[in-house]
Amino acid sequence: MSLLTRILSPRSGSSDGPRTLRLGIAGLGTVGASVVRMIARRAEALSAATGCTITVTAVSARDPKRDRGLDLAGITWFDDPVALARSGEVDCVVELVGGSEGAAKEIVEAALAAGKHVVTANKALLAHHGNALAKEAESRGVSLAYEASVAGGIPVIKAIREGLAGNEVSRVYGILNGTCNYILSRMEAEGLTFEACLKDAQALGYAEADPTFDVEGFDTAHKLAILTSLVFGVEIDVEGVSVEGISAIQPLDLTMADELGYRIKLLGVAQATEAGIEQRVHPTMVPKGSAIAQVMGVTNAVTIDADAVKELTLIGPGAGGDATASAVVADIADVAAGLVRPTFGQPVTGLAAPRRVEMQRHEGGYYIRLTVHDRTGVAAGVATRMAEREISIESIVQRRSAKAEAADAKAAANDPRGLSRAPVPLVLITYAATEGNIRAALDAIAADGLLAEAPQLIRIERE
Amino acid sequence: MSLLTRILSPRSGSSDGPRTLRLGIAGLGTVGASVVRMIARRAEALSAATGCTITVTAVSARDPKRDRGLDLAGITWFDDPVALARSGEVDCVVELVGGSEGAAKEIVEAALAAGKHVVTANKALLAHHGNALAKEAESRGVSLAYEASVAGGIPVIKAIREGLAGNEVSRVYGILNGTCNYILSRMEAEGLTFEACLKDAQALGYAEADPTFDVEGFDTAHKLAILTSLVFGVEIDVEGVSVEGISAIQPLDLTMADELGYRIKLLGVAQATEAGIEQRVHPTMVPKGSAIAQVMGVTNAVTIDADAVKELTLIGPGAGGDATASAVVADIADVAAGLVRPTFGQPVTGLAAPRRVEMQRHEGGYYIRLTVHDRTGVAAGVATRMAEREISIESIVQRRSAKAEAADAKAAANDPRGLSRAPVPLVLITYAATEGNIRAALDAIAADGLLAEAPQLIRIERE
């Protein structure tokens, strides 16, 4: 049978009889437990929708004794998840263990090798091994489904792969990490520092004890790499993502953003350019009136720019047991309905090799916050260095804090020329310029001795 | 073969060979022409995604001589679209004629009777005959696909039917008519009247010469009826939709909405209640900070409230040739990939009969704008009548226009007791109350002789 016409009839001899899909679930954390409950709760609806009875026949988790509030009667318990993946009782393996290596990888590889469908929520695994795993799945004629790996409960994989099949996509960008969006939302609303909001996020369970993976943008990069492959028909290239997190964002940046008509969001952006495909994760100024700017707290959002639909935005929960389980169950329903599509929207053998674009070549608007010595001629010096690199300035804001004013007033008696005045922020918004030119101009400004601190640079993303 | 496992292999004897899907397109207006071009432009990608070669083999339209800028070489022209629907050259009929009766209905019926898949953008046909057509499609084991019929290029049918398969939905609501949203957006932004904005919308081609169908909410009602069926698993009941358009909205209502923290949108809302399923189309106050409130101009948006994902919002183009064609081609790709799902997400025989809920039983917040005689005791009179019906008031705003002030000042000399003063607006926002109680209170207020004009009543929809 060819890939796309393969029909799932694991138990029934003929495709006419009632069909059953037997699930083996590896990992019974919040998401796994929610999947088990959802499959039970929605049994009738799922059967009506797919023409197939879906049952959980096997589970595996680290601690067999933990009370998860689940009725596991009649379900086979496996201590070894790889044995579950190979079990003859299982048609479709649901991998919810997580991590790009170790058990998760072994489970998925064993399941595919045994010709079983795989549904996973594991973005790290996909980002690092997606090409090889997709190849294996396609050669076996089985599904490797991963809706839950990107933007949690938002059915963005399905929307792009199927809903936009007629479109050529030019850009996809989104808020893909709820932890970062929660922190930035609170910093903005309450004028708090990154550190204070991170602490709250940890207390609320929105951030890990070691938050690096989320706040430095790596989680977003994994998800973006998956979207890039799907949207542009290229092999996954997570190493090609330029990554910058939110830990350097200061309350002043959020205040200035507000004043200039922007909000700051950590975006993952994949964009087709003449030189190749830009993949970048960084704090981003988005226009306040844009749909994505309204997205607050742990919510995720993805916007797709495409030739026919122009702009499509999906907003929903990016994490949480039930929301993630919703995406997992949607994938399971597709498998149950007999839908086997190529992992990345087209056969993996047809995916193009990635063509990376250096961030130096990125072209866009920039927010630049300089901390300059408060001396005559500084603004002119900055403007000259910008002009040398053909960078046009859209707006410029210089404002002294009340505290600085007070300190200076006190010092004025002994320092009539103002040489001891405190450094002041100088904020510039540029028209489109290349990152290379921006960096070169900033280096020149620093070499001129105009800066009291390293500059803050935030990219602007237009609708 | 059972419904869900039927495989499309129209031309090839075995499912192993290369497959072809032959399209017959009835209707070559803006959407039809865009579909023909998209199928050609995306031929390679669609073939890679579906494992099937998609070709247009037949077309039909009213005027064979019109230059549509299309290369129709090698494509059979049918003067009679019903003959196209029956043609042996066609595996899937794309109905883009429009209208609930006449040619469109005959084409779809003939296609289904001949065992062909149908893809349509026709919301009126679905809303009025969807139950019977779905039954026919399912008995034949073919697809009746209609992504383009609701919210244009937004893949909302797929998102609900497949992406949210694990969810129980409690409410779905959306901006489903671009004409109305364009008019309301301009009224709000520029303080213009409904009539002035309608004229502009007509000049720009966003509104028909006879705009009734759009501005009085019937188009939204058709789309809502389809969503209701899909979301709640009930038969389509377009007659059960309570419909109210936007023609009575005045600039003052938009000003007051803004002041009170709302925007006014024409929403279609389907909501599960204990008494049954409310289906209603009406101008609605939505909180300014909500995602749906940001949707301006001809853009559409749909929000789904569901148990697992909580809230999912999709925003995109609601109309236009390319956007609608995008949805049509997505359906075609599903057919080409061999995906045949029940029309309304589950077999039509399993759909429940609709249980209508009278609008009188609707419970929610209300914006009430009264035009009262400017006399002592009027506000107290209004408040008393509200209290009698156990309606709690959240805010109350009374403001005299500058014009009224000036007129009164002029008259004051001859009318020291103010008996001739111009009527003034009195705006109330209520907490949740039933529509029956609200209407009864308003009737009592009118009977008391307090009103100079009929009251304006706009429902509030909370997130």
Side-chain angles (χ1 to χ4, degrees):
Chain A
M1 281 190 287
S2 76
L3 166 62
L4 287 153
T5 58
R6 188 178 184 279
I7 274 302
L8 186 87
S9 48
R11 270 186 154 172
S12 55
S14 108
S15 61
D16 280 327
R19 297 175 308 120
T20 302
L21 180 74
R22 300 168 305 165
L23 303 176
I25 299 182
L28 283 180
T30 323
V31 177
S34 185
V35 169
V36 171
R37 278 191 288 265
M38 200 177 286
I39 292 288
R41 190 169 70 237
R42 296 282 293 168
E44 207 178 322
L46 288 167
S47 162
T50 64
C52 177
T53 303
I54 302 170
T55 58
V56 179
T57 52
V59 294
S60 175
R62 242 178 290 176
D63 182 359
K65 293 199 186 95
R66 201 177 123 203
D67 180 13
R68 298 171 173 87
L70 295 176
D71 179 10
L72 298 178
I75 298 177
T76 308
W77 181 278
F78 283 83
D79 284 323
D80 174 9
V82 176
L84 173 145
R86 293 196 185 111
S87 163
E89 291 179 50
V90 168
D91 308 309
C92 174
V93 174
V94 182
E95 184 275 305
L96 301 170
V97 171
S100 67
E101 314 298 327
K105 184 160 174 263
E106 287 169 39
I107 292 163
V108 172
E109 285 174 345
L112 295 176
K116 299 180 197 306
H117 301 282
V118 171
V119 172
T120 177
N122 191 332
K123 65 245 166 189
L125 180 69
L126 262 289
H128 288 286
H129 305 291
N131 299 323
L133 295 174
K135 202 168 169 188
E136 177 70 9
E138 290 171 26
S139 76
R140 302 277 178 179
V142 295
S143 268
L144 171 60
Y146 54 94
E147 183 67 80
S149 70
V150 179
I154 305 176
V156 64
I157 302 296
K158 182 173 277 289
I160 292 173
R161 188 185 52 195
E162 301 161 32
L164 298 184
N167 288 255
E168 186 169 348
V169 175
S170 53
R171 181 174 60 160
V172 59
Y173 61 98
I175 296 170
L176 301 172
N177 182 279
T179 309
C180 288
N181 206 52
Y182 171 83
I183 292 173
L184 290 172
S185 299
R186 287 214 50 196
M187 286 179 72
E188 181 192 323
E190 302 171 44
L192 298 172
T193 62
F194 167 79
E195 290 75 18
C197 294
L198 172 60
K199 223 173 252 178
D200 280 0
Q202 285 168 323
L204 287 162
Y206 294 158
E208 310 278 336
D210 176 358
T212 313
F213 189 69
D214 286 318
V215 302
E216 296 306 343
F218 302 113
D219 174 75
T220 301
H222 283 160
K223 294 164 178 170
L224 180 68
I226 295 169
L227 286 180
T228 302
S229 176
L230 185 65
V231 156
F232 295 112
V234 295
E235 290 174 6
I236 287 191
D237 178 28
V238 72
E239 307 295 337
V241 183
S242 159
V243 186
E244 193 184 310
I246 62 166
S247 56
I249 300 293
Q250 297 189 12
L252 178 58
D253 296 317
L254 289 151
T255 312
M256 293 307 307
D258 181 57
E259 203 165 301
L260 293 159
Y262 297 95
R263 283 199 175 124
I264 302 177
K265 299 292 182 189
L266 182 76
L267 293 193
V269 186
Q271 184 169 15
T273 73
E274 280 181 21
I277 292 161
E278 278 187 17
Q279 291 189 91
R280 46 196 169 84
V281 172
H282 50 69
T284 314
M285 297 267 177
V286 294
K288 248 192 238 181
S290 63
I292 216 152
Q294 316 311 319
V295 177
M296 294 296 179
V298 294
T299 303
N300 278 200
V302 181
T303 295
I304 303 125
D305 293 344
D307 57 354
V309 298
K310 304 295 182 249
E311 186 177 298
L312 179 71
T313 298
L314 293 84
I315 303 171
D322 285 350
T324 308
S326 166
V328 169
V329 170
D331 277 345
I332 291 170
D334 274 352
V335 170
L339 176 69
V340 179
R341 297 236 189 181
T343 307
F344 298 114
Q346 60 173 292
V348 71
T349 48
L351 295 175
R355 264 199 310 151
R356 292 183 189 174
V357 185
E358 295 296 311
M359 267 315 278
Q360 293 291 321
R361 301 185 62 170
H362 169 66
E363 198 171 337
Y366 286 80
Y367 159 98
I368 300 166
R369 179 170 57 76
L370 304 176
T371 307
V372 296
H373 297 297
D374 192 6
R375 292 196 294 254
T376 310
V378 166
V382 167
T384 304
R385 291 303 190 187
M386 291 289 185
E388 282 171 7
R389 292 287 175 166
E390 301 193 336
I391 299 161
S392 300
I393 309 296
E394 188 187 297
S395 4
I396 184 158
V397 181
Q398 183 164 7
R399 186 161 317 132
R400 315 195 64 223
S401 69
K403 199 173 144 194
E405 293 280 4
D408 293 343
K410 223 170 143 186
N414 304 321
D415 178 22
R417 289 181 57 209
L419 294 177
S420 72
R421 277 188 287 193
V424 292
L426 177 69
V427 172
L428 311 165
I429 299 285
T430 77
Y431 286 105
T434 65
E435 180 129 347
N437 279 339
I438 294 279
R439 298 272 184 198
L442 291 179
D443 286 348
I445 292 164
D448 291 342
L450 302 178
L451 303 183
E453 277 178 31
Q456 173 73 294
L457 188 145
I458 302 178
R459 295 166 194 91
I460 297 170
E461 198 74 22
R462 314 267 177 202
E463 273 179 295
Chain B
M1 279 190 288
S2 76
L3 165 63
L4 286 152
T5 59
R6 188 179 184 279
I7 274 303
L8 186 89
S9 49
R11 269 185 153 173
S12 54
S14 108
S15 62
D16 280 327
R19 297 175 309 121
T20 302
L21 181 73
R22 300 167 307 165
L23 303 176
I25 299 181
L28 282 181
T30 323
V31 177
S34 185
V35 169
V36 171
R37 278 191 288 265
M38 200 177 285
I39 293 288
R41 191 169 68 236
R42 297 281 294 167
E44 206 178 323
L46 288 167
S47 161
T50 65
C52 178
T53 303
I54 302 170
T55 57
V56 179
T57 52
V59 293
S60 174
R62 242 177 291 175
D63 182 359
K65 293 202 186 90
R66 201 177 124 204
D67 181 13
R68 298 172 174 86
L70 295 175
D71 179 11
L72 298 178
I75 298 177
T76 309
W77 181 278
F78 283 84
D79 284 324
D80 175 8
V82 177
L84 173 143
R86 293 197 185 112
S87 163
E89 291 179 51
V90 169
D91 308 309
C92 174
V93 174
V94 182
E95 184 274 303
L96 301 170
V97 171
S100 67
E101 314 298 327
K105 184 161 174 263
E106 287 169 40
I107 293 162
V108 172
E109 285 174 345
L112 295 177
K116 299 181 198 304
H117 302 284
V118 171
V119 172
T120 177
N122 191 331
K123 65 244 166 192
L125 180 70
L126 262 289
H128 288 286
H129 306 290
N131 299 323
L133 295 174
K135 201 169 170 188
E136 178 71 8
E138 290 173 25
S139 75
R140 303 278 178 178
V142 295
S143 267
L144 171 59
Y146 54 94
E147 182 67 80
S149 69
V150 179
I154 305 176
V156 64
I157 303 297
K158 181 173 278 289
I160 292 172
R161 189 185 52 196
E162 301 161 31
L164 299 184
N167 287 255
E168 186 169 347
V169 175
S170 52
R171 181 174 61 159
V172 59
Y173 61 99
I175 296 170
L176 301 172
N177 183 279
T179 309
C180 288
N181 205 52
Y182 171 82
I183 292 173
L184 291 171
S185 299
R186 286 214 51 195
M187 286 179 72
E188 182 192 322
E190 301 172 43
L192 298 172
T193 62
F194 167 78
E195 290 74 17
C197 295
L198 172 60
K199 222 172 252 176
D200 280 0
Q202 286 169 322
L204 287 163
Y206 293 158
E208 309 278 336
D210 177 359
T212 312
F213 190 68
D214 287 318
V215 302
E216 296 306 343
F218 302 114
D219 173 75
T220 301
H222 283 160
K223 294 164 177 171
L224 181 68
I226 295 169
L227 286 180
T228 302
S229 176
L230 185 66
V231 156
F232 294 112
V234 296
E235 289 174 7
I236 286 192
D237 178 28
V238 71
E239 307 296 337
V241 183
S242 159
V243 186
E244 193 184 308
I246 63 166
S247 56
I249 300 294
Q250 297 188 12
L252 178 58
D253 295 317
L254 289 151
T255 312
M256 293 306 308
D258 182 57
E259 203 164 302
L260 293 159
Y262 296 95
R263 283 198 174 126
I264 302 178
K265 299 291 182 189
L266 183 76
L267 293 193
V269 185
Q271 184 168 15
T273 73
E274 280 181 23
I277 292 161
E278 277 187 18
Q279 292 189 89
R280 45 194 170 85
V281 172
H282 50 69
T284 314
M285 297 268 178
V286 294
K288 248 192 237 180
S290 63
I292 215 152
Q294 316 311 318
V295 178
M296 294 297 179
V298 293
T299 303
N300 278 200
V302 181
T303 295
I304 302 125
D305 293 344
D307 57 354
V309 297
K310 303 295 182 249
E311 186 178 299
L312 179 71
T313 298
L314 294 83
I315 303 171
D322 285 349
T324 308
S326 166
V328 169
V329 170
D331 277 345
I332 291 170
D334 274 352
V335 170
L339 176 69
V340 179
R341 297 235 189 182
T343 307
F344 298 114
Q346 61 173 291
V348 70
T349 47
L351 295 175
R355 263 199 312 150
R356 292 183 189 175
V357 185
E358 295 296 309
M359 268 314 279
Q360 293 290 320
R361 300 185 62 171
H362 169 66
E363 198 171 337
Y366 287 80
Y367 159 98
I368 299 166
R369 178 170 56 77
L370 304 176
T371 308
V372 297
H373 296 297
D374 192 7
R375 293 196 294 255
T376 310
V378 167
V382 167
T384 304
R385 291 304 190 187
M386 292 288 184
E388 281 171 7
R389 291 288 175 166
E390 302 193 335
I391 298 161
S392 300
I393 309 296
E394 188 187 298
S395 5
I396 183 159
V397 181
Q398 183 164 6
R399 186 163 316 133
R400 316 195 64 222
S401 69
K403 200 174 145 194
E405 293 279 5
D408 293 343
K410 223 171 144 185
N414 306 321
D415 178 22
R417 289 181 57 209
L419 294 177
S420 71
R421 277 187 287 191
V424 293
L426 177 68
V427 172
L428 312 165
I429 299 284
T430 77
Y431 286 104
T434 65
E435 179 130 347
N437 279 340
I438 294 280
R439 298 270 183 200
L442 291 180
D443 286 349
I445 291 164
D448 291 342
L450 302 178
L451 303 183
E453 277 177 30
Q456 172 73 294
L457 187 146
I458 302 177
R459 296 166 195 91
I460 298 170
E461 199 74 22
R462 313 267 178 202
E463 272 178 295

